[in-house]
Structure formats: C-alpha cells, structure tokens
Amino acid sequence: MKCLLVVTESAEILFYWTDAAFEKNLREQYGAVENTGDRLPAVEDSINTLFAPLIISCSTLIEKINDIYTSFVTENGHHYILHQFGECLYIAVNGDGSESEDDLRRKIFVLKKFMEVQFGMVTLNSTLLKKELRPNDTGKRGRLWKMLQGLLDTYDLLRNQEQSFMVEAVERLIHPTLCEQCIEFLERRVVQQINGSPERAGEEVLHAFILVHTKLLAFYSSRSASSVKPSDLLALILLVQNMYPDISDHGDAAAEPPSLHTYSSGIVIQEKGRRDLLATNISTPSNTSQEDFDVGSAPEVYYTPQPSPTGKKTELMGAEEECTPVFQFVEPDIQMAEDSLNILESEHRDPAFPRRVFLEATFKDGYCPMMPHSMYCLPLWPGISLVLLTKIPNSQVAVSLYNFLEAFSLLEKKLNEVQEGIPHSRLQSSLPSLADLRTKLDKFIRALGNIDQQLQNTWTDFKNKAFLRTGQGNAQELLPLCRSLRSQLCAIYRQYFVTEGQGSHQRLSENLQKKAFTMMQEKLTDWKDFLLVKSKRNITMVSYPYYFPGLIHFIYVDRTAGQMISPSLSVSDDSTSELGKGPLAHFIKSKVWSLVRTSRRYLQKGYTTVTLRDGDYYFSYFLWFENETGYKLEVIELPVLSDDSAPIGMLAGDYYRQLLRYYSKTHQTEIIKCYELMTIHLGVIPPDSILQQCCDLARKLWEPSRIPLL
C-alpha cells in the first residue's frame, strides 16, 4: 500500500501517485464515488478527504512554529514521511512494510528531481509550479500526472532490478573497440552532418549517445558543450526507460524483437522517456583483459553476429530485411499496430517533436543549473536507442535569467539582514554590484522588447526606490519588489522554455532525424543481437574468484564521475548465469541490495569503512579519496547527516558532489576523486584476507581507468 502526494498549504492536490492496494483501501474506506467517465476526480477527492486533517495540521505548525512533522508511524503500522519544498508539501506513505523511511524520503526527492528536469527553474517559484502541476485543462492535467506517475513506476522498477539505479551511478557497456568506433561515428557522421545542415532550424547537437537498455554503448559531446552531470544522466536514462520499457528479456540471443510499430507519417518517436549514460573509463583488473573475464562465462548464449550484407542495395536495406524495426518512416495510410497503442496512448503530440528537458550546464562565462535542451530519442531497435541533446535558440536567455535570479536572491538576503538589525553598512557594501545589476537588467529588458510589461513596471518602481538622490532606499519597501521581480523573471523563463510559446515550432527536420536514424542503424545492424545479450551479461564473476578466492560479488563506483562497474546480476527465469536460477540468484541479489542500504546508513553517520558478518557471508564497504595520480589521501571525519536530510545518492540530492567539496576544502591545490567499493565474501575467508583482497581489487579496477579510452 503506497502513496505519494504533493499538496499546497490549503490542501489542494498538485499531484498524486498510488498503487492498486492504496486505491482499493480508499474505495473500501470511502465507498465508490460516482463520476462521469473520468476516474481522476473520484480518487482525488478521496485522497483529499483522507489527508486533509494532516495537511491542515502541518499548515498550522508552519504558521505557529515554522516547522512540520518529518516522519511518524500510525497505530496500524503505516509510515508517513513529509518534506516541505517552498509552499508545496510532499507526503510519502507506505502501509505494507516494503519501504523504509529512507526509501520513502528518497522517492520524494527523486520526484522533485523529475520536476526540475521537466519544468526547469519554474520549480524555484511555488506559484508558477502550482500552475504547471495543476493546469485548468483537466485533460492536460491527467496526461501530465500520468507521465509523472509512469516515471515513478519506472523508477521503482529500475531501483529494484538494476544495480546502477540501486547505487545511483551510470553503467556502460564494456566493449572498448565498438565503443570507440561508435564515438567516432557519432562525431563525424551524425553530429557534424546535423550541425552543418540548414535543416536544423537553429538547433545545435551538443551530445549524442547510444543506449542499450540502461547501459551506455557510446557517448560523444561537441567541443562547445558543457559536461552532462551524472545525476542528470540518470534522470534521462529513466525518461528513456519510461518511453521504451524493457518488456522483453533479451538474455536469449535467439529472441526476436517485437514487431513493427508505425505511426501516421514521419518518425515514430514514442514520447515516453530517453536513454542516457556516460561512457566510463573504469575497466577490469590490469593483469587481465575484459575478454579474459568473460571467456567461458556463458557459452550457451554466446552469439556471433551475422556476416555483413553485400551489395549497396542490400547494405542499405539490411536492417529492415533482417528484422522489423520499431522506428520507421512510412506512408500516412499505414495504420499503427494494435499492440503499440498502450505505449503511445499517454502522449498525443507530433512524433517528431522532441521533449524539452532542463539540465545543469557550466560555461566559461556562465552557469545555469537548469539549462533548456531539446531531447530526441530515435529507437533503432527494441532496447537500442540513439539519443540527441540539442542546444535550442535563445537558450542564452536562461543563463541571464538565472544570473538575475541569483542577484536578487542575494540582495533579498541582505535586505532581510537590515530588517533584523544588522548594520546598514552591509547593504551599502552591495551598492557596486547593484549598480552593475541595474545596467545589465536594463539592457536585458530592452532586448526582450514588450514581452513582459509588468517586469518593466516593477523594475522601474524598484529603481526609483533603490536609487534615491537622498541615499539608499528603504529595505522594507525594496523587499516585496525583490520578491516580485524574482517571480516575474521565473515567469519569463516559463514563457520562453516551458509553455508552448515562442520558438516551440523550431526543431530538427524529420529528414535530418531520418538520416541520423538510418546511418546509425546501418552501423549497428550486425551488432544488435550481440549488444542485447551483452547488456544482460555485461560483466560476469566467472574469472574473478580465480584472482580473489571467496569473492561472491562486488560493486565499484567512481563517485567523481558518477560511474560504476559490477558483475551482472540476473535473476530472470529466462536467463542463465553463474548464479543459476531460482532461489540462489534471488538470495544473492537480496544480499547485494541489503549491503547497499546498510552502507548508506553507516555513511550517513559518518563512517567510511564497514565490515560485518551476516550469517555465512562477510559484507565490506569502503569509501576513500585519492588525488589525480591515484595516491590515497588521509581519512577525515565526515559530517553526520540528520535523519530528515536528503538521502545519500545522486538523484536525491547529489550527496557525493557535496562530499567532494567538503573534502576539497583541505586540499585546494589538488584534484580530488572519491571512490566506493562494496564486496560480499564467503564467511570462511579470514577477515585479514578479505581486507587485502579489497585493496587489491580496488587497485586493479582503478589502474585501467587512467587510460583515456573515450
């Protein structure tokens, strides 16, 4: 029984997600509510009735003591986690014991991350965010909520199935030769051709990458592009998985892809998510090649690609003759296959239209935490996608808006200090920067033209009161104007980049998308079946016990790059691995997931090394710092986090980036890197041997990562 709710202080529901058990409980508690064909109001009204007393109680606490509950457990064993972001209250509930308090809190922060990727800096203004989450159009509201609910469902699924989402780090497909070939192909045949075409409508491809399920095959960024933040990559991977869910198990090389789905004329770009990962430099032990570790691991599913087709015509059509792709350009009279309706029903928009996403970007002359991008996802085959991230026209406006928002936030803080009795000289010290702000904002407003008359009027009023001939303006008069200006700047951001407004018709032409799709499909035709198998059995444990006796499993994470490497853990009944099938595979998987949760609890308390015995197994966890040359740095005392702080991870608050900043304060002249290693050994192995093995394993996994393969 699960529920996640976002409400206002007046108990208005902005978003909700429930599972079937929770909805069943609502019906039993409040009875069937009649409605006219739309089930949304019925469930929404029941949720509102159920949570209204709690929401009113929280609003009263905020008003009286400026604080709220963070968690509690009811008499019937239901866990409640609450968190306030601005004027929005997030409530997560679990009634079946399947989720811990950390899981519920993590889900709240992950939902907030989804909203930032979806709405950008609109999330900085509660009033505008309310308008986005609860539009007046009930149809639009239903589609938006369904999309966010689908993302949460996909997140739950991936967190329970994929190690990369459990530890919140990016995983790449280990095949250096093919990876390098694809990176070169993306640069020369895809990105350069698109960026050199007059059909790109002012857009510029910044990043291009190929995903096989949740793993990255190749990633290319143009020289002018900012790097992609690992937490943004994970969010984008989740979007892709939501668009193209993994409904078939490709563990068997003989499995055939689903049949062709076509949609009207043009491109079938199913608007349900997108695949993004970063190619990592982490590899296998230095004394052994990756091929050595995979040899003999699964001979029963070994696959040799078919020979390349001959002849120019055959080469162009090879992919279509070999199997039916999920992505194709067709005539308008071809109807969509019936089995694709479930995938496409949630989005009613132009198939060639990209998804707008907001990602962190850093430039030489600026920074924007939520820079607008257009995201194109071209499904080459089921499970394999080409993703393009483009820079959109007028995107520089977002950087200017963020700089102004930051300036007014700082000014508002100083004005509050003046009101609280701090010396007036504090405000005087901001006068030079305020004068610079005046010049830049005047220029910015002139460039906007008459797009927002209210902003011009408020800014004029602010200048009249801030720059008086008799001296500094009154803090009490300037504070509300500061808040109003921040709100109006966010509104301009929303108008430019979130709503269907100016420039929304601009996108890469269907012809360019078709060319990129065709070229990439031709490149990978002979590899596709191999890649689908490889994605399920990326790295195996077959050869590791030879070098590390008693080792059952490990997870190695480069937290600086946000990338991980770990042997595959497949518990599917259709796949074969060294763990076998059935209870043993599920048992080992449950131990790995338990180790991750345990390590997080200790890390939250400031521990960087944990060794403990669990029955017949030893768990080990290590977190350490190194400089750029690989020299291990001294251990420091880490800050202890409160129980209601953001959960440890990347999607839920980017804990490791903050940890690196904290450690770098004492090593300002060095480039600091952070690593984690989690291992499970048989209990018969002596603890001293386990510690030595962990040191050797970490060293062997690290050494090849210095080689610039990508």
Side-chain angles (χ1 to χ4, degrees), residues 49 221 237 280 483 487 595-596:
T49 303
S221 296
I237 295 168
T280 162
R483 299 189 185 106
S487 177
L595 171 58
V596 175

Side-chain angles (χ1 to χ4, degrees), residues 185 189 315-319 381 517-526:
F185 189 87
R189 299 292 304 277
E315 183 178 356
L316 291 174
M317 301 300 294
W381 296 280
F517 164 78
T518 304
M519 289 189 297
M520 202 71 250
Q521 195 179 60
E522 290 174 4
K523 172 68 177 177
L524 295 177
T525 293
D526 294 340

Side-chain angles (χ1 to χ4, degrees), residues 334-571:
I334 300 180
Q335 296 182 350
M336 181 170 53
E338 183 177 351
D339 57 353
S340 68
L341 286 172
N342 292 332
I343 297 178
L344 294 173
E345 66 177 356
S346 62
E347 296 286 346
H348 305 283
R349 55 194 298 182
D350 183 353
F353 200 85
R355 179 187 287 259
R356 180 63 49 82
V357 293
F358 298 89
L359 313 173
E360 182 178 302
T362 303
F363 313 98
K364 292 182 179 179
D365 55 348
Y367 166 79
C368 183
M370 301 173 209
M371 190 76 169
H373 294 75
S374 286
M375 185 177 182
Y376 299 83
C377 188
L378 314 182
L380 305 175
W381 296 280
I384 305 177
S385 299
L386 168 65
V387 182
L388 306 175
L389 281 176
T390 66
K391 176 183 178 181
I392 63 174
N394 298 326
S395 60
Q396 196 61 30
V397 172
V399 180
S400 299
L401 288 170
Y402 172 72
N403 291 334
F404 293 137
L405 284 169
E406 283 290 285
F408 282 113
S409 296
L410 179 61
L411 181 59
E412 186 176 333
K413 180 181 179 181
K414 293 185 177 181
L415 290 171
N416 280 318
E417 290 176 350
V418 171
Q419 278 197 329
E420 294 170 1
I422 296 177
H424 200 273
S425 58
R426 282 285 191 92
L427 188 57
Q428 292 287 347
S429 65
S430 68
L431 277 175
S433 59
L434 191 58
D436 183 56
L437 173 63
R438 176 181 184 175
T439 302
K440 291 181 178 179
L441 190 52
D442 280 339
K443 182 179 179 181
F444 179 76
I445 290 177
R446 285 195 299 270
L448 288 179
N450 296 322
I451 190 172
D452 196 310
Q453 190 63 42
Q454 186 179 1
L455 173 64
Q456 297 184 34
N457 296 338
T458 307
W459 175 235
T460 300
D461 193 15
F462 179 90
K463 289 189 293 184
N464 291 337
K465 293 180 178 179
F467 302 98
L468 301 174
R469 294 181 179 179
T470 56
Q472 184 85 30
N474 183 278
Q476 190 172 358
E477 293 180 342
L478 293 177
L479 264 174
L481 291 174
C482 266
R483 299 189 185 106
S484 179
L485 284 168
R486 289 176 58 198
S487 177
Q488 289 164 30
L489 288 168
C490 284
I492 292 176
Y493 180 95
R494 176 180 180 236
Q495 181 178 352
Y496 259 80
F497 305 116
V498 179
T499 60
E500 297 294 333
Q502 182 175 347
S504 63
H505 62 282
Q506 293 181 315
R507 61 179 185 268
L508 300 179
S509 69
E510 292 186 11
N511 183 49
L512 275 182
Q513 295 182 52
K514 177 180 178 180
K515 287 180 180 178
F517 164 78
T518 304
M519 289 189 297
M520 202 71 250
Q521 195 179 60
E522 290 174 4
K523 172 68 177 177
L524 295 177
T525 293
D526 294 340
W527 290 93
K528 64 179 179 64
D529 289 339
F530 167 78
L531 291 173
L532 292 173
V533 172
K534 183 69 173 173
S535 71
K536 298 298 182 182
R537 297 178 56 79
N538 193 24
I539 297 175
T540 66
M541 276 296 297
V542 169
S543 298
Y544 281 96
Y546 176 80
Y547 300 94
F548 307 100
L551 178 65
I552 296 176
H553 193 74
F554 70 86
I555 301 176
Y556 177 83
V557 189
D558 179 349
R559 285 299 179 184
T560 307
Q563 304 162 18
M564 59 87 72
I565 185 171
S566 179
S568 300
L569 267 180
S570 178
V571 297

Side-chain angles (χ1 to χ4, degrees), residues 91-110:
I91 305 172
V93 185
N94 181 271
D96 57 15
S98 61
E99 294 176 306
S100 65
E101 290 190 6
D102 180 76
D103 293 331
L104 294 174
R105 188 169 288 108
R106 187 176 301 276
K107 189 177 291 186
I108 287 175
F109 278 80
V110 167

